[in-house]
Amino acid sequence: MDSIDAELSEEQRLVRKMAKEFAGDVVQPLARKVDHEHYFPQELIPKLGELGFLGVNVPETFGGAALDYVSYALIVEELARVCASTSVIVSAHNSLCIWPILAYGNEEQKTRYLPSLAAGSTLGCFALSEPGTGSDAARQTCSAVEQDDGTWKIDGVKNWITNGPVADVCVLFTMTHPERKHKGINAFIVDLKNTPGVTIGKREEKLGICGSPTSSLMFENTFLPPSQLLGAPGEGFKIAMATLDGGRIGIAAQAVGIGRAALEDSLSYAKEREAFGKPIAEHQSIQNYLADMSCRIDGARLLAHRAARRKDRGLPYTKEAAQAKLFASEAAVDAALKGIQIHGGYGYVKEFNVERYLRDAKITEIYEGTSEIQRLVI
Ligand code: CAA
């Protein structure tokens, strides 16, 4: 039993084994195409759904896998170990779209949305950021104006939407009373594909996580019935912040997976590559790099699992999730940089995967709250 498994329950060990096998057998063979061709791995979605990976924390009554948050972190890590794009498609869907519906939705909303999301027949996204509003999330300008008949008129633009071009369901944040600042924000559930007035922006061309489709969402004269309001009026900011607390554990797990990929690839390479008459793994400078990478990655996982365990136990975890995301994302970037250094010239070309790990790791320091915002939260 390795040191990760030793900390886990029997069920969590089984989940990890299943995720690892699926990642290695089914996701890994696609990973280079996903990156090089900016390919959205559509064929994985039904398979991820069958395994329960698209409704990890959803109760069985709504068709989910009813697993805990540690299991969720394990699944995201194993997917990210082989393909960071796939891992973020899964994590944005689970923690940013499903979780707020689970936590704040009424029975009718849960019954309507969760079964198809958990099965993977619909995909979810989360729309908080705007062209001029990222870290300062309370400064929402996308507006929701209540009409005489109780419907809501939505107008505005949302940016950087993971899964935006492919999502069916969106958890959307809007401003209704700017004078009330964060207390004037509402959350809605939007059916993106069949609500008039919704336009999906062009797919962004990104540095990394190239197979994870990202776009803006435009709302113009978009009318939503009152049944689409998520939570109470004015509760939107709290919903967004609480959702991101859980999302940050997922991004920490993603960063752990990317960092582990850099470490494991570099260790194999160092055992093969020779310099000065012996494998470079026998040179102390290389050993020191590998030792530092392994300490930081294991530390990052411990922080991510601590935050997940607190969430599972109903304890506060805002600070712990921010600590995990901050530490893990910096550890992943550092591991990828050291991995490139260990690979030398081969690390700088696309023949090896380690340059992809750097491009994929970088976003973990930015999305779901930058490192600067995590420090502010801590
Ligand atoms: N949970 C619940 N409520 C919270 C909370 C939390 N974690 N954090 C703050 N709140 C509440 C506070 O209690 C306070 O409520 P009251 O007024 O009732 O007391 C209220 O929210 C305002 O709190 P602050 O004054 O601390 O809020 P702020 O305006 O200073 O902002 C912030 C705080 C931490 C900077 C926040 O704006 C933030 O997290 N910014 C980053 C946003 C972010 O992560 N964006 C990423 C978007 S998602 C994405 O990346 C796209 C994708 O698809 C992956």
Side-chain angles (χ1 to χ4, degrees):
M1 195 184 291
D2 66 20
S3 61
I4 307 173
D5 274 347
E7 302 290 326
L8 304 177
S9 71
E10 184 62 32
E11 182 181 69
Q12 291 161 350
R13 281 199 285 274
L14 281 172
V15 169
R16 179 170 176 241
K17 184 167 177 286
M18 187 169 75
K20 197 175 183 155
E21 283 171 7
F22 176 75
D25 296 346
V26 183
V27 183
Q28 191 153 29
L30 270 179
R32 288 176 71 81
K33 174 178 165 127
V34 165
D35 178 56
H36 293 189
E37 299 174 23
H38 296 204
Y39 175 71
F40 172 66
Q42 175 64 51
E43 63 268 51
L44 295 180
I45 304 300
K47 295 175 186 166
L48 289 161
E50 268 168 42
L51 287 171
F53 293 175
L54 295 175
V56 180
N57 309 119
V58 174
E60 284 170 6
T61 40
F62 297 115
L67 295 169
D68 59 16
Y69 224 73
V70 172
S71 299
Y72 171 61
L74 292 166
I75 292 165
V76 174
E77 178 185 333
E78 292 304 330
L79 294 174
R81 162 66 186 89
V82 300
C83 180
S85 293
T86 301
S87 74
V88 76
I89 293 165
V90 168
S91 76
H93 172 87
N94 273 285
S95 49
L96 298 186
C97 180
I98 287 182
W99 189 83
I101 297 176
L102 204 48
Y104 294 94
N106 56 37
E107 280 309 296
E108 189 274 326
Q109 290 169 333
K110 289 185 202 178
T111 308
R112 186 145 53 104
Y113 289 104
L114 293 178
S116 59
L117 285 166
S121 46
T122 54
L123 267 184
C125 70
F126 174 88
L128 176 70
S129 298
E130 300 182 357
T133 302
S135 294
D136 186 4
R139 213 175 118 236
Q140 297 284 303
T141 62
C142 180
S143 64
V145 178
E146 194 169 11
Q147 310 294 291
D148 292 341
D149 63 357
T151 57
W152 294 89
K153 180 174 177 290
I154 314 291
D155 289 282
V157 180
K158 293 289 171 179
N159 250 31
W160 316 126
I161 313 302
T162 301
N163 292 344
V166 291
D168 304 274
V169 180
C170 173
V171 171
L172 169 73
F173 299 88
T174 61
M175 181 57 89
T176 292
H177 295 289
E179 72 288 358
R180 293 184 200 164
K181 301 189 174 157
H182 66 271
K183 289 188 180 1
I185 295 172
N186 289 346
F188 292 93
I189 308 174
V190 186
D191 291 296
L192 291 177
K193 301 250 167 86
N194 49 29
T195 302
V198 179
T199 309
I200 315 293
K202 73 166 173 53
R203 194 173 152 172
E204 303 289 350
E205 286 191 38
K206 296 179 298 191
L207 176 71
I209 53 162
C210 295
S212 150
T214 305
S215 68
S216 53
L217 299 177
M218 278 82 86
F219 299 89
E220 196 179 357
N221 286 324
T222 308
F223 289 91
L224 299 178
S227 59
Q228 299 311 109
L229 186 69
L230 179 64
E235 209 183 10
F237 191 70
K238 197 174 96 185
I239 296 175
M241 291 299 107
T243 301
L244 285 166
D245 285 343
R248 288 166 185 166
I249 300 174
I251 300 306
Q254 183 193 30
V256 171
I258 301 168
R260 212 181 94 206
L263 172 63
E264 290 174 1
D265 284 15
S266 301
L267 184 57
S268 311
Y269 180 81
K271 286 177 177 170
E272 296 290 321
R273 171 77 181 184
E274 294 199 355
F276 304 103
K278 56 185 179 183
I280 61 169
E282 289 177 26
H283 291 291
Q284 198 161 34
S285 342
I286 302 298
Q287 292 173 355
N288 287 348
Y289 284 147
L290 293 165
D292 288 349
M293 290 157 82
S294 96
C295 290
R296 290 189 73 178
I297 292 158
D298 279 10
R301 184 185 302 100
L302 288 169
L303 285 175
H305 287 195
R306 178 180 70 162
R309 283 202 179 92
R310 288 181 68 87
K311 182 165 164 59
D312 285 332
R313 289 179 188 150
L315 297 169
Y317 57 93
T318 298
K319 181 182 78 176
E320 289 78 6
Q323 288 173 320
K325 182 185 179 288
L326 172 64
F327 190 83
S329 57
E330 293 189 351
V333 170
D334 178 65
L337 281 169
K338 287 196 168 78
I340 291 174
Q341 197 66 19
I342 292 168
H343 281 73
Y346 292 104
Y348 204 70
V349 294
K350 288 186 187 265
E351 185 185 339
F352 286 77
N353 290 327
V354 70
E355 61 82 32
R356 160 159 63 95
Y357 305 148
L358 179 64
R359 291 185 289 104
D360 288 347
K362 182 59 203 169
I363 190 62
T364 66
E365 294 183 322
I366 298 173
Y367 61 16
E368 300 201 31
T370 59
S371 294
E372 292 74 11
I373 289 298
Q374 305 315 317
R375 288 188 166 87
L376 188 149
V377 170
I378 294 162

